Amino acid sequence: MDIKVLKYFVQVAKDQSYTRAADHLFLSQPALSKLIKKLERELKVPLFRVQKNGVYLTDYGEQFYRRVVPIISEFDSLSAFVETMHSAPVGRLKLGVTPMIASLYVVDIVTNFNRQWPDIELQLIEDGSRALRKMLLDGSLDLALGITGASFPDLQDTVLFKDEMVVIASVDNPLSRYDSVTFEQLENQKFNLYTYTSALSHQITERCVKAGFLPKVNISSSKVNFMLQMTECDRGICILPRPYAVQSHLSPKVKIIYLKETFPWEGTLMQNGNTYKTYIVKLFERFVVRYFEQREQLQEKTEI
C-alpha cells in the first residue's frame, strides 16, 4: 500500500470528484480512477460510490478515511522532524580530551559550538591519549581530541594541527645556556614527565631510549602547571608542546629550549570507525576540523 495512493484517496474524498481531485494532484482522471480501483481491489471492499452529482465515501470508505488521515499527517511530519533535527539538533556528545588540548583549545571550541547549537550537551572526559583510545574502543566515548601516537586498527585519526615539542628548563640549569639541544644532552637531567596514560610520556621515553638512555623521572603528573612549577624550582626539566609553552606566560625563571631533531606534536580527532556516526557526531566532527583550518589560515595571515 503506497502512501501516495492513500493521499490520492483522501483528495478524492475531499473533492467528491475524480476530475477535481485529478486537477489538484496533476494527474489524468483515468489514471487516478485506475489507482483508486487498484486500492479497492487490494482492500477487497468498495471505498467510493459514484452518483450523478459526485463521488461519495461508502461505509468502508468512511472508516478507512478516519484511519488514513492521521497516518498521512504522521508520515508528513517525519520530514519536518528530520529538518528540525538538522536545524536545531538536541542530544549529548561524549567527548574525550587530553589535558594539554583541553587547556589550549577546548574552552574556545565548546563555547563556539554551544553558541551555534545550544541544545547539544557536551560531556567532557579528560585523560591521556592512550586511555582515550581505549574508551573509544569500548564505546565510552563518541569522539576524542588527542595526539597522534599508538594506533589501533579500529580507530580513525584525522590530523587537526601540527607543531613541535620544546624543552623547558630553569635558568639555573646549565642547559639554559643553549638555545637548542639534542636528546643526548638530556641524559643527565631529571624529567618532570606526563603520566603513563599520556601518549607524550611514551613518545618522550622512546626518544630518550633512541638517544641511548632511560629518562630519570623526578615526578610524573597529569597536571602540566605542577610540572612547570617543579621545573621553575630547578627540580628537573619538562618537555611541552611549543604552543602551550608560548601561551602560558612562562615565569622568567625558566627558558624555552628548542630541540635540534624534529619532535612533532600533532593534534588529532580520534573516533571508532566501526560505530554508527550520529548526526551530532558528524556535526561536531565538521565543526572541529573547520575550527583548526580557520586557526591555521589566521596564523598564516599573521605570519605574512
Side-chain angles (χ1 to χ4, degrees):
M1 196 175 296
D2 192 333
I3 190 71
K4 279 187 177 180
V5 177
L6 296 181
K7 290 182 177 182
Y8 296 164
F9 160 76
V10 169
Q11 192 66 51
V12 174
K14 286 180 177 178
D15 290 332
Q16 295 181 337
S17 165
Y18 281 111
T19 302
R20 286 194 297 270
D23 288 340
H24 287 138
L25 297 168
F26 302 100
L27 291 172
S28 68
Q29 189 270 332
L32 179 58
S33 297
K34 185 177 179 181
L35 288 168
I36 296 299
K37 289 295 181 184
K38 182 180 177 182
L39 178 61
E40 289 178 325
R41 287 196 301 272
E42 188 176 347
L43 294 171
K44 298 178 182 178
V45 294
L47 298 173
F48 292 104
R49 50 190 173 87
V50 180
Q51 296 182 347
K52 288 182 180 181
N53 59 342
V55 179
Y56 302 95
L57 291 168
T58 64
D59 53 345
Y60 292 110
E62 288 177 358
Q63 292 297 322
F64 191 63
Y65 182 88
R66 291 193 186 99
R67 290 176 179 269
V68 166
V69 169
I71 291 173
I72 291 174
S73 177
E74 184 68 22
F75 180 84
D76 289 342
S77 72
L78 292 177
S79 296
F81 163 72
V82 173
E83 288 175 9
T84 301
M85 261 191 72
H86 286 183
S87 61
V90 177
R92 177 186 298 172
L93 178 73
K94 292 177 287 185
L95 176 68
V97 292
T98 63
M100 191 69 67
I101 290 178
S103 61
L104 285 174
Y105 308 116
V106 169
V107 170
D108 196 27
I109 289 172
V110 169
T111 300
N112 284 286
F113 185 82
N114 182 256
R115 187 176 291 120
Q116 291 189 47
W117 295 284
D119 294 321
I120 296 178
E121 175 191 346
L122 291 178
Q123 185 178 8
L124 302 182
I125 295 92
E126 191 173 309
D127 213 324
S129 287
R130 293 169 66 89
L132 295 179
R133 290 180 186 275
K134 291 177 181 177
M135 283 187 264
L136 282 169
L137 287 172
D138 67 24
S140 303
L141 296 175
D142 296 312
L143 291 170
L145 296 172
I147 65 166
T148 54
S151 60
F152 294 80
D154 295 329
L155 297 186
Q156 296 175 349
D157 280 19
T158 302
V159 175
L160 300 171
F161 60 84
K162 295 182 180 182
D163 216 290
E164 62 182 314
M165 302 291 290
V166 293
V167 177
I168 309 295
S170 165
V171 293
D172 296 325
N173 189 310
L175 277 181
S176 64
R177 300 197 305 264
Y178 304 99
D179 292 325
S180 62
V181 294
T182 64
F183 256 87
E184 284 79 5
Q185 289 175 269
L186 306 180
E187 181 174 1
N188 296 320
Q189 298 291 327
K190 286 191 174 181
F191 286 71
N192 297 318
L193 205 57
Y194 307 91
T195 54
Y196 183 80
T197 59
S198 167
L200 282 177
S201 175
H202 290 262
Q203 291 177 12
I204 292 169
T205 300
E206 286 172 1
R207 286 178 179 268
C208 290
V209 171
K210 187 177 178 181
F213 67 95
L214 281 172
K216 302 178 183 72
V217 179
N218 182 44
I219 57 103
S220 60
S221 174
S222 62
K223 306 299 181 184
V224 181
N225 284 341
F226 177 57
M227 293 163 59
L228 279 170
Q229 288 169 0
M230 294 297 290
T231 302
E232 184 181 330
C233 295
D234 198 20
R235 304 301 298 169
I237 63 169
C238 59
I239 298 178
L240 302 179
R242 186 193 64 84
Y244 188 89
V246 170
Q247 294 179 35
S248 293
H249 306 293
L250 295 177
S251 163
K253 295 181 181 180
V254 297
K255 180 182 178 180
I256 297 175
I257 306 169
Y258 289 85
L259 288 160
K260 290 182 178 179
E261 59 265 53
T262 303
F263 188 171
W265 183 59
E266 295 183 333
T268 179
L269 177 67
M270 304 179 290
Q271 55 192 299
N272 190 331
N274 290 333
T275 58
Y276 169 73
K277 280 188 186 181
T278 66
Y279 176 70
I280 290 175
V281 166
K282 293 177 183 177
L283 197 66
F284 188 82
E285 180 182 8
R286 291 195 298 268
F287 179 85
V288 168
V289 169
R290 184 62 184 149
Y291 171 85
F292 283 102
E293 285 176 349
Q294 290 174 337
R295 282 186 63 90
E296 186 177 354
Q297 291 166 3
L298 183 62
Q299 186 175 350
E300 289 173 354
K301 287 181 181 178
T302 304
E303 290 173 354
I304 292 173

